[in-house]
Amino acid sequence: MAFPPEQPRRDLDESEAAGLPTAAAVAAAAAIGEEAPADFTHEDRRSLDGRRIKAYLIDILIIVPLAILAVQLGGGPTPGAGLMAFAVNLTYFFVFETLRGQTIGKKVARLRVVRPDGSAASASKIAARTIARVFDYSVLGPITLVATGKRRQRLGDLVAGTIVRSDNRSFVRAPESPLIVVYPLLWIGAAAIAMVTFKPLDPMLAARSHDPYMARIDRICEKRVRQQRALEAGGQLDLISGRLLLRQEERKIEKLPAPPSAVCADVRDVISRHRQVNAELDRMMSDIHRSPRDPSLVAEDHRPAIESLMSGARDRYRSLGLPYCAS
């Protein structure tokens, strides 16, 4: 006589299939005054994708200004400045996720980085998760996230044995570790050494003054040079547009806050030379408009005076560490 097919148990707790503590386990633990161990390993976290994207965007809005500041402190887009920006990125995620299990973005999105049992991850595990961002920022990150299915673990989570889940419980931090200080110092220290060692990709930046105020003046000139190049590439650079850019450059430098006493005389010299060049250009433009002669011939009359002023200005700007102003 054949046995009837086995039917699913009707008393099976649905939480058991989800990998969470069962009602029986909770009751048994309560009977002896203990808390049932959690297991969120197989929890379906696909519904959190939108919240994770939201958290990441918020964190990026916080990190980008810090990264830009690091690049500016490094004197421009240099390899060292890029490493410093990345070190700031790593430090932000490492410190917040070690101390609170969540960055500012994750806090807004009500997410937290935890171990599969829901407890706080140690500083060493968060460090491993953070360093893996080197790969997670590439195409490997999204691929790994999707490949892990409903668990939604990126490469850093797999390396560190962590998960990102919806978690509003009171947070009990992992035991304190000196790594919370050691790792940021290593990252930022290595980036600082790179900033000093590596030369800028742009040779003009290598010649820029290390004085913050003078560097600020040269960045104004750099913007003018880039605008000129863009107009020239589009066939729109002429005497009038070039003249307008030089005048705007002079006004922006004049509107800067009062310079420190150490560079006060140099800044006055820069402004004076700008004014002399612009004044001679103004005279040339005025003569062109009033004279019945061919404009090119009038401009040729003013060329020696303009070239003499510009030559002197270029030499002075280079000596002051203003390569773009000398351009």
Side-chain angles (χ1 to χ4, degrees):
M1 178 176 178
F3 288 99
E6 184 176 350
Q7 299 296 319
R9 290 173 51 190
R10 296 184 179 180
D11 61 338
L12 179 64
D13 194 323
E14 293 182 0
S15 61
E16 183 177 357
L20 304 178
T22 64
V26 173
I32 58 176
E34 294 182 357
E35 184 179 350
D39 183 6
F40 302 112
T41 303
H42 303 292
E43 180 183 41
D44 190 341
R45 292 182 286 275
R46 287 173 292 186
S47 62
L48 303 180
D49 288 351
R51 286 160 62 181
R52 292 185 73 166
I53 293 173
K54 175 184 176 181
Y56 180 72
L57 292 176
I58 292 173
D59 289 330
I60 286 298
L61 289 176
I62 296 171
I63 292 172
V64 165
L66 298 176
I68 292 175
L69 178 61
V71 171
Q72 294 297 329
L73 292 175
T78 68
L83 287 174
M84 179 60 77
F86 191 63
V88 170
N89 181 307
L90 296 182
T91 299
Y92 169 82
F93 283 100
F94 173 69
V95 171
F96 274 96
E97 290 180 354
T98 300
L99 294 178
R100 297 299 307 162
Q102 55 188 182
T103 59
I104 295 174
K106 287 185 176 69
K107 181 175 179 61
V108 173
R110 303 187 308 281
L111 298 172
R112 179 168 276 137
V113 179
V114 294
R115 296 171 62 192
D117 63 359
S119 63
S122 65
S124 60
K125 289 187 177 295
I126 295 296
R129 185 179 191 275
T130 302
I131 294 173
R133 288 182 181 276
V134 174
F135 304 101
D136 279 321
Y137 283 148
S138 68
V139 70
L140 285 175
I143 289 177
T144 307
L145 199 68
V146 174
T148 53
K150 66 180 183 180
R151 291 180 292 134
R152 284 298 192 263
Q153 290 175 288
R154 63 175 179 82
L155 186 61
D157 289 315
L158 295 177
V159 170
T162 57
I163 60 175
V164 177
R165 67 183 307 273
S166 181
D167 195 340
N168 284 326
R169 300 173 302 164
S170 58
F171 184 70
V172 179
R173 199 163 69 189
E176 293 190 8
S177 167
L179 295 179
I180 190 76
V181 175
V182 172
Y183 275 114
L185 286 179
L186 285 176
W187 297 330
I188 294 176
I193 293 173
M195 288 174 69
V196 175
T197 303
F198 296 150
K199 293 186 178 298
L201 299 177
D202 185 342
M204 294 182 72
L205 293 179
R208 177 175 284 173
S209 171
H210 294 294
D211 182 87
Y213 196 95
M214 301 303 287
R216 189 173 179 182
I217 291 177
D218 197 56
R219 281 195 290 271
I220 293 175
C221 296
E222 179 182 359
K223 184 176 181 180
R224 183 260 304 165
V225 171
R226 297 192 186 283
Q227 289 174 328
Q228 282 182 336
R229 290 173 181 172
L231 289 173
E232 186 175 13
Q236 299 176 324
L237 181 63
D238 54 23
L239 191 59
I240 296 176
S241 60
R243 174 75 192 86
L244 179 61
L245 290 176
L246 285 171
R247 177 61 72 184
Q248 290 175 342
E249 177 181 280
E250 178 187 330
R251 289 173 179 169
K252 288 179 181 178
I253 295 174
E254 290 176 342
K255 289 182 179 180
L256 289 175
S261 58
V263 296
C264 191
D266 294 335
V267 173
R268 282 200 302 267
D269 190 19
V270 170
I271 294 175
S272 174
R273 291 177 183 274
H274 268 72
R275 288 174 178 171
Q276 290 173 15
V277 172
N278 282 323
E280 186 60 35
L281 289 172
D282 285 342
R283 282 191 287 271
M284 181 185 71
M285 295 299 294
S286 178
D287 288 348
I288 287 175
H289 287 302
R290 291 184 303 176
S291 176
R293 299 168 59 204
D294 186 294
S296 62
L297 296 176
V298 178
E300 194 65 30
D301 292 340
H302 287 269
R303 181 184 296 275
I306 293 174
E307 287 186 348
S308 176
L309 288 171
M310 286 188 169
S311 177
R314 279 195 293 267
D315 292 341
R316 179 58 173 153
Y317 294 158
R318 290 193 187 101
S319 69
L320 293 175
L322 306 176
Y324 276 102
C325 293
S327 177

